[in-house]
Amino acid sequence: MKEFAAICGVSPATVSYALRNDSRISEPVRERIQSKAREVNYRPDSSNSALVRYRKQIHTDVQRPSVAIAYAHPPASRRTKLFQVHVNRFRQSIQQYGYDLKEYYIGNQADGGAKLLHQMRVNDTQGLVLAWGQWEQKLNEFPWQEFAVASAERNQIHPAIDRVSVNHFNATEVAIQALEVRGARRIGLVCHHDLPLRVKKNIVGAYIQHIYKKEGHSPPAPPYFYKIGAPTQPFEKWRTKHQLDAILAHRQIDFSFFNEQGLRFPQDSQYAVIEIDDNNAHEESGVVIDAGLGDALAEVIAAKLHYGERVDLQRQGDLILINGQWREGITTHPPEKSSTEIASL
Amino acid sequence: MKQRVSQKQIAEACQVSVATVSYALRNSRHISVSTREQIQKVAHELGYRPDPSLSSLAAKKRRSGQTPFYASVGVLHPNPKSSRATQLFNIHSRHFKEKMEDLGCSVSEFQVDSNRYRPERLAQILRTRGIRGILLGWGQWPDSIRSFPWHEFAVISTERTDLGYAIDKVSMNHFHALDSIFDRLDAFPESRYGLILHDDCPAKTESHIMGAYHANLYERKNLESDIPPYRYKLNEGPTRLRAWYQAHKPDVIISHRAIEASLFQDAGITFPAPTRLVIIEIDEATDLEFSGIYTEATLGQTTAQLLARKMRTHEMKRESNRAELTLVNGIWHDGVSLGS
């Protein structure tokens, strides 16, 4: 009851009264608590008398309601691994609303979608989160309108599904401004060659428009596309040709790539990253997402379940964007300008 | 036209009652998972499609009957009813109100113009009326509003209002709008695209539009990229626009908001030939049927969903210091200004 009271945002006593339909609680609040109890399938434990309170450690087998997360790729794939930090946060966050998390890997099984659907029905799971990945036709026939769904994948899986994503446009602007107050004059943009088109457009668009906005700008250096395992030489040629004094990468790149040509940060060039997933044990300066994405996914799904909202196929889904925070690493210089000057920028 | 497949036909094919089919297609727990899936499979094979008007009616009825009262919310208008900002916002607040009521919330509107209330007084009024969620209307806010205790309420604003707090915002997805405009323009041979922005366009909106413009030029090397955007001032004459048009000779104009058709005429610009025109965001009545993206009901509806969600988060006493931005896609409309 304590847990359930937390879910409702009221005290356990209020819950107790409301479920007994006691008139001490106002009618709207009573109704709200009762409907919430139906939604999460909460029933006061009748055996929970003083006598059995000693045996609290013995759990009844009442299943907590669950929310599902589906992955397009196996656990060891790069996209799934990158997404783990956000899943962990999402799990923590959705548990506070009273839901357990169940994970499903669709992979390349032809009937992956049907299996997911079957499992969700058997467990009476009504909320679904879609992880990062290339979904293509994998969930083509899925009956979205029966579920509350949020997608973390920025590309559309179905046009009616709400998406929760990092605000790449904003993160790019934040990182460029941070590099500039640290003295950068010519910033070059590095993207992984396989980044999704929508993300690429946001990053490249924010980069080019920032340069065009400046008085007397010279043309922007064309973005460099990095491939894991490729040699460093072409990159070094690009950097010298465009006389870059700062590098802005979309995602973290293994330092050995830069070390191969003896490039040191921040001595030879400043370096910042647009999208860093977690705040642990990394040295790069850049924009960190951390808890934002997992929390937002949990808030969206929990609210949809609370209000009984399902995917409305007649409507276009919304895009919910999460802003990151600049983190000072060891790859940039300290700011040149005072904080008041920065504030006036 | 092909005859609709009825639930009766499915019932006969599965040798169950019509009621069972109806339950199974609604995915009701009254029917076992295996029977449900069997019936759904047969329905799919027969090509069954629910009558959309009937099922949406039933869903609506179900909702309105069951939705318990949830909360009271307030819409705060900073300017008088007759102001241009409040009038422009009307269409959005109407859709907002409808959706909010659908979610079980009652909506009251408050005119807070001309420092009528001190912030503490306003907060007290809202508290007394049990209001937990606030939508900020459009217009100029007095500076004093900054001392309003925002943290006590769940607050949503649309992008025009920026009070500088961690208030969640809803905006049209200008970036996506430009993407879909460029995709449509791919069907035409022209290559000189000029942009028109209103000079009171919020800085964030302008960056998104310029960013999407450059990103799409970057993806299309065949297009010219040497045309500076034109900044339109409300109620200005045609002289500057004509000079811009003659200097840069755009053969496609992409304008953020609609401008009176007569201004284009006076500036010597006619569409769809020789110049095509498309509008990024239309939410007001215009004197001409422009081609472009209309926001219609979507902005108000999404704002309502978000505020409901935020109240829920608030109720859970979760700290939420980050402001989220939610972007809404508009609806493409083929008017007369693009040509075919």
Side-chain angles (χ1 to χ4, degrees):
Chain A
M1 187 172 286
K2 214 167 157 187
E3 260 173 53
F4 176 70
I7 293 171
C8 297
V10 298
S11 72
T14 309
V15 169
S16 169
Y17 284 130
L19 294 182
R20 278 178 281 151
N21 217 11
D22 191 304
S23 59
R24 266 171 282 194
I25 309 298
S26 77
E27 212 175 304
V29 174
R30 242 187 290 157
E31 278 176 17
R32 187 159 64 75
I33 292 173
Q34 288 166 4
S35 79
K36 189 74 210 167
R38 282 194 295 276
E39 177 199 321
V40 304
N41 198 18
Y42 170 77
R43 270 176 241 110
D45 188 348
S46 58
S47 63
N48 207 359
S49 67
L51 197 66
V52 292
R53 246 171 239 159
Y54 295 110
R55 298 187 284 159
K56 243 186 183 163
Q57 70 274 22
I58 301 169
H59 289 290
T60 47
D61 58 354
V62 175
Q63 231 191 356
R64 293 220 306 169
S66 60
V67 160
I69 182 162
Y71 300 92
H73 308 293
S77 63
R78 180 163 176 267
R79 290 274 181 97
T80 304
K81 271 166 46 192
L82 279 173
F83 194 57
Q84 264 325 295
V85 49
H86 304 302
V87 174
N88 292 339
R89 181 68 192 194
F90 173 69
R91 184 185 295 109
Q92 262 178 35
S93 206
I94 200 76
Q95 272 169 355
Q96 290 173 22
Y97 287 94
Y99 298 97
D100 286 333
L101 185 63
K102 291 194 189 294
E103 301 182 73
Y104 301 99
Y105 295 90
I106 305 291
N108 291 322
Q109 314 164 47
D111 59 346
K115 276 187 181 156
L116 171 68
L117 180 61
H118 179 80
Q119 280 305 314
M120 287 184 72
R121 281 180 178 161
V122 168
N123 295 323
D124 198 20
T125 303
Q126 288 165 23
L128 173 64
V129 167
L130 302 167
W132 287 346
Q134 279 157 320
W135 284 93
E136 286 142 5
Q137 315 299 316
K138 284 176 188 166
L139 292 178
N140 238 359
E141 305 259 294
F142 202 81
W144 303 111
Q145 69 281 2
E146 290 176 22
F147 299 98
V149 184
S151 169
E153 170 54 45
R154 196 169 174 142
N155 287 307
Q156 280 188 356
I157 295 162
H158 186 287
I161 297 175
D162 287 348
R163 288 164 289 155
V164 180
S165 170
V166 171
N167 191 343
H168 294 98
F169 194 94
N170 178 264
T172 307
E173 283 187 321
V174 166
I176 290 176
Q177 278 166 12
L179 283 172
E180 285 180 348
V181 299
R182 284 162 182 78
R185 297 282 171 270
R186 284 195 48 89
I187 302 170
L189 181 66
V190 180
C191 298
H192 284 65
H193 77 108
D194 60 347
L195 89 170
L197 180 64
R198 271 171 210 274
V199 177
K200 176 181 166 195
K201 275 187 162 178
N202 269 271
I203 290 175
V204 172
Y207 171 73
I208 300 177
Q209 76 89 31
H210 183 86
I211 289 171
Y212 272 95
K213 218 160 45 184
K214 280 191 290 192
E215 208 64 50
H217 63 83
S218 43
Y224 183 85
F225 289 92
Y226 160 84
K227 196 172 177 179
I228 294 173
T232 313
Q233 255 158 351
F235 166 80
E236 201 43 34
K237 232 171 103 186
W238 167 80
R239 205 178 69 83
T240 325
K241 181 182 169 199
H242 298 287
Q243 300 170 347
L244 304 174
D245 58 8
I247 304 295
L248 180 60
H250 167 214
R251 283 189 164 279
Q252 283 146 297
I253 292 172
D254 198 308
F255 277 120
S256 63
F257 174 78
F258 304 109
N259 292 343
E260 197 181 296
Q261 296 284 318
L263 186 58
R264 291 160 310 154
F265 305 130
Q267 297 91 326
D268 305 322
S269 160
Q270 299 200 72
Y271 174 66
V273 176
I274 295 171
E275 186 180 359
I276 301 175
D277 290 301
D278 61 346
N279 209 358
N280 306 325
H282 293 295
E283 298 169 319
E284 293 93 341
S285 299
V287 180
V288 178
I289 309 306
D290 214 29
L293 190 60
D295 280 351
L297 281 166
E299 279 165 28
V300 170
I301 283 289
K304 281 177 189 290
L305 292 171
H306 181 73
Y307 291 101
E309 215 186 287
R310 297 293 177 261
V311 176
D312 179 355
L313 297 178
Q314 314 294 318
R315 250 189 120 241
Q316 286 223 44
D318 299 323
L319 178 61
I320 298 155
L321 295 177
I322 311 302
N323 288 336
Q325 298 281 329
W326 173 261
R327 181 194 63 188
E328 195 77 43
I330 59 163
T331 57
T332 45
H333 294 302
E336 279 182 358
K337 301 186 172 80
S338 71
S339 54
T340 46
E341 276 176 293
I342 294 168
S344 70
L345 279 175
Chain B
M1 207 181 120
K2 224 177 92 186
Q3 187 96 41
R4 293 195 78 89
V5 178
S6 70
Q7 297 199 350
K8 201 172 161 200
Q9 283 167 275
I10 302 167
E12 279 161 11
C14 299
Q15 299 191 325
V16 295
S17 71
V18 178
T20 307
V21 172
S22 169
Y23 279 127
L25 295 179
R26 271 180 287 153
N27 204 30
S28 161
R29 265 170 282 163
H30 294 280
I31 313 294
S32 75
V33 173
S34 59
T35 312
R36 249 188 276 164
E37 287 181 346
Q38 172 64 21
I39 293 173
Q40 285 165 0
K41 196 169 150 240
V42 171
H44 182 71
E45 283 163 7
L46 289 175
Y48 173 76
R49 294 242 166 274
D51 187 335
S53 57
L54 278 184
S55 62
S56 76
L57 190 70
K60 170 108 186 157
K61 213 175 141 198
R62 207 157 50 233
R63 266 204 310 279
S64 54
Q66 270 188 4
T67 311
F69 172 77
Y70 182 69
S72 299
V73 303
V75 183
L76 306 188
H77 298 285
N79 297 148
K81 270 195 183 127
S82 56
S83 64
R84 180 178 139 88
T86 304
Q87 302 241 319
L88 277 176
F89 192 61
N90 260 340
I91 177 166
H92 303 305
S93 60
R94 207 178 62 234
H95 289 292
F96 168 79
K97 196 170 172 183
E98 273 176 28
K99 182 73 190 176
M100 219 65 251
E101 284 167 356
D102 225 27
L103 292 165
C105 299
S106 69
V107 180
S108 326
E109 308 215 19
F110 296 86
Q111 229 63 48
V112 297
D113 50 293
S114 60
N115 286 326
R116 190 186 294 189
Y117 308 107
R118 283 173 297 112
E120 313 82 79
R121 175 80 186 116
L122 178 62
Q124 199 183 4
I125 293 170
L126 298 179
R127 270 182 228 124
T128 313
R129 301 201 32 183
I131 286 183
R132 293 169 40 213
I134 293 174
L135 169 63
L136 302 176
W138 286 351
Q140 285 299 312
W141 291 84
D143 275 346
S144 63
I145 200 74
R146 287 181 183 274
S147 61
F148 184 86
W150 296 112
H151 61 275
E152 280 186 36
F153 301 89
V155 190
I156 300 275
S157 131
T158 53
E159 267 278 275
R160 287 190 188 195
T161 312
D162 193 357
L163 294 178
Y165 294 90
I167 292 172
D168 286 5
K169 296 194 177 89
V170 185
S171 164
M172 186 209 197
N173 191 344
H174 297 99
F175 205 100
H176 183 263
L178 262 288
D179 274 1
S180 42
I181 286 171
F182 270 79
D183 285 347
R184 277 171 198 276
L185 290 175
D186 283 343
F188 298 99
E190 286 79 7
S191 65
R192 296 184 58 78
Y193 298 179
L195 262 186
I196 298 184
L197 299 166
H198 284 48
D199 70 342
D200 64 350
C201 175
K204 279 253 159 66
T205 306
E206 180 171 327
S207 319
H208 278 126
I209 292 175
M210 293 304 295
Y213 175 71
H214 286 302
N216 280 290
L217 290 180
Y218 172 82
E219 297 291 329
R220 294 169 174 81
K221 306 293 181 202
N222 58 317
L223 300 181
E224 310 287 335
S225 59
D226 58 344
I227 304 181
Y230 178 75
R231 273 165 226 284
Y232 165 75
K233 289 193 189 74
L234 201 63
N235 302 325
E236 75 170 321
T239 324
R240 280 176 57 239
L241 181 59
R242 185 189 294 120
W244 175 77
Y245 181 66
Q246 286 173 355
H248 302 292
K249 300 189 173 51
D251 45 26
V252 172
I253 293 178
I254 304 173
S255 179
H256 172 209
R257 288 186 163 273
I259 297 174
E260 307 87 81
S262 60
L263 184 82
F264 286 108
Q265 212 168 27
D266 296 345
I269 307 172
T270 51
F271 34 74
T275 306
R276 301 182 192 278
L277 173 73
V278 52
I279 312 286
I280 300 170
E281 180 178 15
I282 312 175
D283 59 4
E284 57 205 273
T286 53
D287 51 357
L288 192 110
E289 214 195 321
F290 291 106
S291 303
I293 295 173
Y294 288 70
T295 45
E296 294 182 1
T298 50
L299 194 69
Q301 288 171 348
T302 296
T303 309
Q305 281 173 325
L306 277 192
L307 185 55
R309 196 178 99 205
K310 239 199 145 184
M311 285 195 288
R312 175 80 184 126
T313 306
H314 222 248
E315 180 179 75
M316 299 289 291
K317 299 189 176 59
R318 284 169 58 102
E319 284 302 315
S320 193
N321 296 320
R322 63 210 151 69
E324 277 170 18
L325 173 62
T326 299
L327 300 177
V328 177
N329 288 338
I331 293 156
W332 173 264
H333 177 75
D334 256 322
V336 295
S337 60
L338 183 62
S340 48

